[in-house]
Amino acid sequence: DAAFNEFVGQNPTFLINNADLVHSLRVAKLQKILEKQDSMEGELHQQLEQVRACKEEMVAYYQNQLKEAARLKAAREIHLQTHLKELQKSTREMEVNLMWDLVASSESRAKEAFHLQQVNSMPIDREGLLELLPAHYFDTIRDAALAPPSNQPMTSSQEADLRQFQVDNAFLMAEVTVLQKKVAYQAIAAKKNAWVESVLCRLDRLTMKKLKLKYQRKTGVKI
């Protein structure tokens, strides 16, 4: 183009004398330009198709990734929900069994406490008190308690036993005082739940069995 323009500039008469040739040259030039543009446009179309194909592949890939992630998430949620239901079921069964064990142990404890109250409420005579004494003091204390009065002086061995008895008796009295305070506290606490203890003491084996069956039907858990 630059050389042709320079030639035309140097030979202005050439355009006048060869108008058809110049027109043909211009047409040929435009055809080459169009051909080049067509070629470039074809290449651009190919690149565009490649970009579209790559885009579709990437979209399909990420869609598959999203579907897989959604599937894994759903499976994870189902697994966690199933595990949660199993955990809730096992926890419920454990709670029901522990509650029944508490009722059963309370029933046994109430009957045992009632039996002890009956035993302790019975009057104890002198011989009964002696039977409650520690075994290693039983013979010595029994002989001393049942022996008739004597004006004879005690031997050194008897005096030592007496002093030891007095010391042990002081410790026993202190322990008895502490136990009496504990018993008094327990008695105050027991009065608050006396009606519960009374009901539990009246439950026999058949009643406990019926109560157990009703409790199982109510909770839906087999004990």
Side-chain angles (χ1 to χ4, degrees):
D1 292 343
F4 179 75
N5 290 332
E6 184 179 357
F7 173 77
V8 170
Q10 293 176 358
N11 302 280
T13 57
F14 180 80
L15 292 175
I16 298 173
N17 297 328
N18 300 282
D20 293 337
L21 177 60
V22 173
H23 178 71
S24 298
L25 290 174
R26 288 179 176 175
V27 171
K29 179 181 178 181
L30 290 174
Q31 287 179 348
K32 289 183 179 180
I33 292 173
L34 290 175
E35 289 177 357
K36 187 175 181 179
Q37 288 180 347
D38 289 339
S39 177
M40 291 177 64
E41 187 177 351
E43 292 178 358
L44 291 174
H45 277 295
Q46 290 180 357
Q47 292 179 3
L48 181 61
E49 291 296 329
Q50 291 177 357
V51 170
R52 287 178 178 175
C54 181
K55 178 183 176 181
E56 290 177 357
E57 290 179 359
M58 291 181 65
V59 170
Y61 172 77
Y62 285 115
Q63 285 180 347
N64 291 332
Q65 291 292 319
L66 288 173
K67 290 180 181 179
E68 182 66 16
R71 185 187 67 81
L72 293 175
K73 180 181 178 183
R76 179 63 175 172
E77 289 179 352
I78 293 174
H79 174 72
L80 291 176
Q81 290 177 356
T82 303
H83 182 66
L84 179 61
K85 290 180 180 179
E86 293 177 353
L87 184 61
Q88 290 175 342
K89 182 180 178 182
S90 61
T91 303
R92 175 64 175 168
E93 292 176 353
M94 185 181 300
E95 289 178 353
V96 171
N97 281 278
L98 289 175
M99 181 60 69
W100 179 253
D101 291 341
L102 178 61
V103 173
S105 62
S106 298
E107 182 260 346
S108 301
R109 181 178 55 79
K111 290 182 178 179
E112 183 179 357
F114 180 74
H115 176 70
L116 290 175
Q117 289 177 357
Q118 287 182 332
V119 172
N120 293 330
S121 63
M122 298 174 60
I124 303 177
D125 54 9
R126 189 176 182 183
E127 292 292 336
L129 289 173
L130 291 174
E131 292 178 358
L132 297 177
L133 293 173
H136 58 283
Y137 291 135
F138 180 77
D139 295 335
T140 303
I141 298 175
R142 183 189 59 184
D143 295 340
L146 298 179
S150 176
N151 295 325
Q152 296 180 358
M154 291 186 295
T155 62
S156 58
S157 176
Q158 290 175 339
E159 290 179 354
D161 291 339
L162 178 61
R163 285 192 297 270
Q164 184 63 41
F165 173 77
Q166 291 173 345
V167 172
D168 293 339
N169 186 59
F171 282 110
L172 289 175
M173 291 301 296
E175 292 181 0
V176 167
T177 302
V178 173
L179 291 175
Q180 286 176 345
K181 291 181 179 180
K182 291 183 178 180
V183 170
Y185 175 79
Q186 293 293 334
I188 294 173
K191 287 181 181 179
K192 297 179 180 180
N193 299 320
W195 65 274
V196 178
E197 302 290 336
S198 177
V199 171
L200 292 174
C201 288
R202 296 179 183 179
L203 296 177
D204 54 10
R205 183 173 298 178
L206 180 61
T207 305
M208 286 292 292
K209 185 176 181 180
K210 292 180 179 179
L211 181 62
K212 182 178 181 180
L213 292 175
K214 290 182 179 180
Y215 186 60
Q216 289 182 150
R217 285 195 296 267
K218 181 179 178 180
T219 58
V221 178
K222 185 177 181 181
I223 303 175

